[in-house]
Amino acid sequence: MPTVNEHCNKCGQCVDACPAGAIQITEDQVIIDADNCVECGFCIDECPQKAIEE
Ligand code: SF4
Ligand code: SF4
């Protein structure tokens, strides 16, 4: 399961990259829904801040 670290600036690119619609951005955090995530790793590759870790 990917997790988001403190380098995230809420740019939203991971939301667009996720084929499963598993990522949501709220006012203060990025949430990855474990029930929907298929662990493809696309969000990790797409994050310009390298803020998503496996
Ligand atoms: S792509 Fe990276 S920096 Fe942008 S919202 Fe997602 S986790 Fe945060
Ligand atoms: S690993 Fe894939 S399915 Fe899971 S949150 Fe990232 S892009 Fe979405």
Side-chain angles (χ1 to χ4, degrees):
M1 259 296 292
T3 55
V4 181
N5 67 31
E6 72 277 9
H7 298 299
C8 172
N9 63 7
K10 294 191 279 178
C11 69
Q13 289 191 41
C14 56
V15 176
D16 295 336
C18 179
I23 308 178
Q24 285 187 344
I25 299 185
T26 68
E27 265 178 40
D28 50 21
Q29 62 182 329
V30 174
I31 299 169
I32 299 178
D33 181 355
D35 289 337
N36 289 327
C37 175
V38 297
E39 301 193 36
C40 64
F42 290 170
C43 55
I44 295 169
D45 295 338
E46 286 298 315
C47 177
Q49 302 298 322
K50 300 208 184 315
I52 307 181
E53 298 168 304
E54 211 151 346

